[in-house]
Amino acid sequence: MKPLDVLGELLENQVMVRLKNGLVVKGKLKAFDIHINLVLEDASFEDNDVEKKVKNMFLRGDMVIFIS
Amino acid sequence: MKPLDVLGELLENQVMVRLKNGLVVKGKLKAFDIHINLVLEDASFEDNDVEKKVKNMFLRGDMVIFIS
Amino acid sequence: MKPLDVLGELLENQVMVRLKNGLVVKGKLKAFDIHINLVLEDASFEDNDVEKKVKNMFLRGDMVIFIS
Amino acid sequence: MKPLDVLGELLENQVMVRLKNGLVVKGKLKAFDIHINLVLEDASFEDNDVEKKVKNMFLRGDMVIFIS
Amino acid sequence: MKPLDVLGELLENQVMVRLKNGLVVKGKLKAFDIHINLVLEDASFEDNDVEKKVKNMFLRGDMVIFIS
Amino acid sequence: MKPLDVLGELLENQVMVRLKNGLVVKGKLKAFDIHINLVLEDASFEDNDVEKKVKNMFLRGDMVIFIS
Amino acid sequence: MKPLDVLGELLENQVMVRLKNGLVVKGKLKAFDIHINLVLEDASFEDNDVEKKVKNMFLRGDMVIFIS
């Protein structure tokens, strides 16, 4: 089993994504590709102590540290 | 469905793009490619607390953190 | 023997992964690929002096310094 | 339409290019390629509060944030 | 003779690897590939003035400054 | 005309190269390739307020911001 | 003539290599490849004001600013 197969098992599940700029984004994983570009649905993150929510978020893969 | 398909659904819609240098740019998504290079129409962003507007903006994909 | 062969021998073993942002993550190595993307099971790491645990963690390979 | 097509429409026009090191360069767009390498004619930029002008400037694409 | 041939001559020898994050790791070179990913046996390094030792270390090549 | 064609026209001419680490190097452009690796003849640059000169300098392309 | 041809002419000569982390390494150029990975013989560099010498040094190309 390869790492991307494990990501595939996370589709439609709630995930937490930690980004290189310190942001932590939560949402439902709707899509990913080999660059680890992600799409999260009903995504939320804290921006200067204010929680922000967006319906759909496209995350560029090179910003990802880890997904859990 | 892949992440770029989701970007395709955002064409002609208002998007918010957060960049690695901290800028947040808003505008209508007119074009994108696999590098996540973007073209925004009627784009606006804050530069040292001054809002700036440009008719067309070509954004290099490697600066993108997320698009929503 | 190549470095990735050595990683292969670590599958199903406990590993320690040091990341470029300073985090050290421990867990059981479940999967890896040529980009050094990793999947760790029962992963734990210290975040601001608080130990955090996650069942499955996908780690992007470009964040890895070393694995031992 | 792809982002590079939009760049093509900017050829022979005055553009403003914001670079990752903070410089903003203005000039007439004479050439570009898929790496977003650019050539600007009659380019000007501020360097430590002094405006500098050069007849032709080759700009490496990986320094570009956006072009407008 | 190419640089990787020289690395090949270092196999099974003690090497010192200086990393981009300032760490210096010593150990016996057991494996390398074209990305300069390395495996060191009986590797040691100083971490906050404490010497640490690990039996086998996989080092990601893009962290390497030099090997001697 | 593509950006590299414009570089070709600069061969055997005096150029100024601004690097990502802040150095500005002047010299005669003797060679370049698609990575924007450059060779400058009779190159000079300021290093801690001391002007240094070298007969031939090979410059790695990924350090280049612009050439004029 | 291409930049790598010029590097070829430097083989077996003393060179000075400036690295992105500020180190300056001197030695005899024994090998190089298209990534600008280098091997220097009888290499010396200053580390915290102490001169260090190594018999053979493999230098990863992406650390190179220039070679002269």
Side-chain angles (χ1 to χ4, degrees):
Chain A
M1 195 163 70
K2 288 292 169 185
L4 292 190
D5 299 326
V6 177
L7 267 192
E9 294 179 359
L10 291 174
L11 280 172
E12 299 297 328
N13 285 284
Q14 284 295 120
V15 296
M16 190 192 75
V17 185
R18 188 175 285 240
L19 302 183
K20 291 179 185 171
N21 66 342
L23 281 186
V24 175
V25 185
K26 295 171 184 176
K28 190 195 279 190
L29 183 63
K30 297 298 285 183
F32 69 92
D33 61 24
I34 58 167
H35 308 291
I36 323 299
N37 292 323
L38 307 174
V39 174
L40 300 182
E41 191 180 78
D42 294 324
S44 62
F45 61 100
E46 280 198 12
D47 191 20
N48 293 323
D49 294 321
V50 181
E51 189 175 19
K52 298 201 174 174
K53 296 186 181 223
V54 298
K55 186 65 185 161
N56 280 290
M57 178 186 286
F58 173 97
L59 256 168
R60 202 171 192 274
D62 73 333
M63 285 302 289
V64 172
I65 299 176
F66 62 71
I67 305 165
S68 61
Chain B
M1 195 162 69
K2 288 292 168 185
L4 292 191
D5 299 327
V6 177
L7 267 192
E9 294 179 359
L10 291 174
L11 280 172
E12 299 297 327
N13 285 283
Q14 284 295 122
V15 296
M16 190 192 75
V17 185
R18 188 175 284 241
L19 303 183
K20 291 179 185 172
N21 66 341
L23 282 185
V24 175
V25 185
K26 295 171 184 175
K28 189 195 278 188
L29 183 63
K30 297 298 286 183
F32 69 92
D33 61 23
I34 58 167
H35 307 292
I36 323 298
N37 291 322
L38 307 174
V39 173
L40 299 181
E41 192 179 78
D42 295 324
S44 62
F45 60 101
E46 281 199 10
D47 192 20
N48 293 323
D49 294 321
V50 181
E51 189 176 18
K52 298 201 173 173
K53 296 187 181 222
V54 298
K55 186 65 186 162
N56 280 290
M57 178 187 285
F58 173 96
L59 256 168
R60 201 171 193 275
D62 73 333
M63 285 302 289
V64 172
I65 299 176
F66 63 71
I67 305 165
S68 62
Chain C
M1 196 163 71
K2 288 292 168 186
L4 291 191
D5 299 327
V6 177
L7 267 192
E9 293 179 359
L10 291 175
L11 280 172
E12 299 298 328
N13 285 284
Q14 283 295 121
V15 296
M16 191 192 75
V17 185
R18 188 175 285 240
L19 303 183
K20 290 178 185 172
N21 66 342
L23 281 187
V24 175
V25 186
K26 295 172 183 174
K28 190 195 278 190
L29 184 63
K30 297 298 286 183
F32 69 92
D33 61 24
I34 58 167
H35 307 292
I36 324 300
N37 292 323
L38 307 174
V39 174
L40 299 181
E41 190 179 79
D42 294 324
S44 63
F45 61 99
E46 280 198 11
D47 191 20
N48 293 323
D49 294 322
V50 181
E51 189 175 19
K52 298 201 174 172
K53 295 184 181 225
V54 298
K55 186 62 185 163
N56 280 290
M57 177 186 285
F58 173 97
L59 257 167
R60 203 171 191 273
D62 74 332
M63 284 302 289
V64 172
I65 299 177
F66 63 71
I67 304 165
S68 63
Chain D
M1 197 163 68
K2 288 291 168 185
L4 292 190
D5 299 327
V6 177
L7 267 192
E9 293 178 359
L10 291 175
L11 280 173
E12 300 297 328
N13 286 283
Q14 284 295 123
V15 296
M16 190 191 76
V17 185
R18 188 174 284 242
L19 302 183
K20 291 179 186 172
N21 65 341
L23 281 186
V24 175
V25 185
K26 295 172 183 175
K28 189 195 278 189
L29 184 63
K30 297 299 286 182
F32 69 92
D33 61 23
I34 57 167
H35 307 291
I36 323 299
N37 292 322
L38 306 174
V39 173
L40 299 181
E41 192 179 77
D42 295 323
S44 63
F45 61 100
E46 280 198 11
D47 191 19
N48 293 323
D49 294 322
V50 181
E51 189 176 18
K52 298 201 173 173
K53 294 183 183 227
V54 299
K55 186 64 186 162
N56 281 289
M57 179 187 284
F58 173 97
L59 256 168
R60 202 171 192 275
D62 72 333
M63 285 302 289
V64 172
I65 298 176
F66 61 72
I67 305 166
S68 62
Chain E
M1 196 164 70
K2 288 292 167 185
L4 291 191
D5 299 327
V6 177
L7 266 193
E9 293 179 359
L10 290 175
L11 280 173
E12 300 297 327
N13 286 284
Q14 284 295 121
V15 296
M16 192 191 76
V17 184
R18 188 175 284 241
L19 302 184
K20 290 178 186 171
N21 66 341
L23 282 186
V24 175
V25 185
K26 296 172 183 174
K28 190 195 278 189
L29 184 63
K30 296 300 287 183
F32 69 92
D33 60 24
I34 58 167
H35 307 292
I36 324 300
N37 292 323
L38 307 174
V39 173
L40 300 181
E41 190 180 78
D42 294 324
S44 63
F45 61 99
E46 280 198 12
D47 191 21
N48 292 324
D49 293 322
V50 181
E51 188 175 21
K52 297 202 173 172
K53 295 185 182 224
V54 298
K55 186 62 186 163
N56 281 289
M57 178 187 284
F58 173 97
L59 256 167
R60 204 172 191 273
D62 74 333
M63 285 302 289
V64 172
I65 300 177
F66 62 71
I67 304 166
S68 62
Chain F
M1 198 164 67
K2 288 291 167 185
L4 291 190
D5 299 327
V6 177
L7 267 193
E9 293 178 359
L10 290 175
L11 280 173
E12 299 297 327
N13 285 283
Q14 284 295 123
V15 296
M16 190 191 76
V17 185
R18 188 175 285 241
L19 302 183
K20 290 178 186 172
N21 66 341
L23 281 186
V24 176
V25 185
K26 296 171 183 175
K28 189 195 277 188
L29 183 63
K30 297 299 286 182
F32 69 92
D33 61 23
I34 57 167
H35 307 292
I36 323 299
N37 292 323
L38 307 174
V39 173
L40 299 181
E41 191 180 77
D42 295 323
S44 63
F45 61 99
E46 280 198 12
D47 190 19
N48 293 323
D49 294 323
V50 181
E51 189 176 19
K52 298 201 172 173
K53 295 184 182 225
V54 299
K55 186 62 185 163
N56 281 289
M57 178 187 284
F58 172 97
L59 257 167
R60 204 171 190 276
D62 73 333
M63 285 301 289
V64 172
I65 299 176
F66 62 70
I67 304 165
S68 61
Chain G
M1 197 163 69
K2 288 292 168 185
L4 291 190
D5 299 327
V6 177
L7 266 192
E9 293 178 359
L10 290 175
L11 280 173
E12 300 297 326
N13 285 283
Q14 284 296 122
V15 296
M16 191 191 75
V17 185
R18 188 175 285 241
L19 302 184
K20 290 179 186 171
N21 66 341
L23 282 185
V24 176
V25 185
K26 296 172 183 174
K28 189 195 277 188
L29 184 63
K30 296 299 286 183
F32 69 92
D33 61 24
I34 58 167
H35 307 292
I36 323 300
N37 291 323
L38 306 174
V39 173
L40 299 181
E41 190 180 78
D42 295 324
S44 62
F45 61 99
E46 280 198 12
D47 191 20
N48 293 323
D49 294 323
V50 181
E51 188 176 20
K52 298 201 173 173
K53 295 185 182 226
V54 298
K55 187 62 185 165
N56 281 289
M57 178 187 284
F58 173 97
L59 256 167
R60 202 171 192 275
D62 74 334
M63 285 302 289
V64 172
I65 299 176
F66 62 71
I67 304 166
S68 62

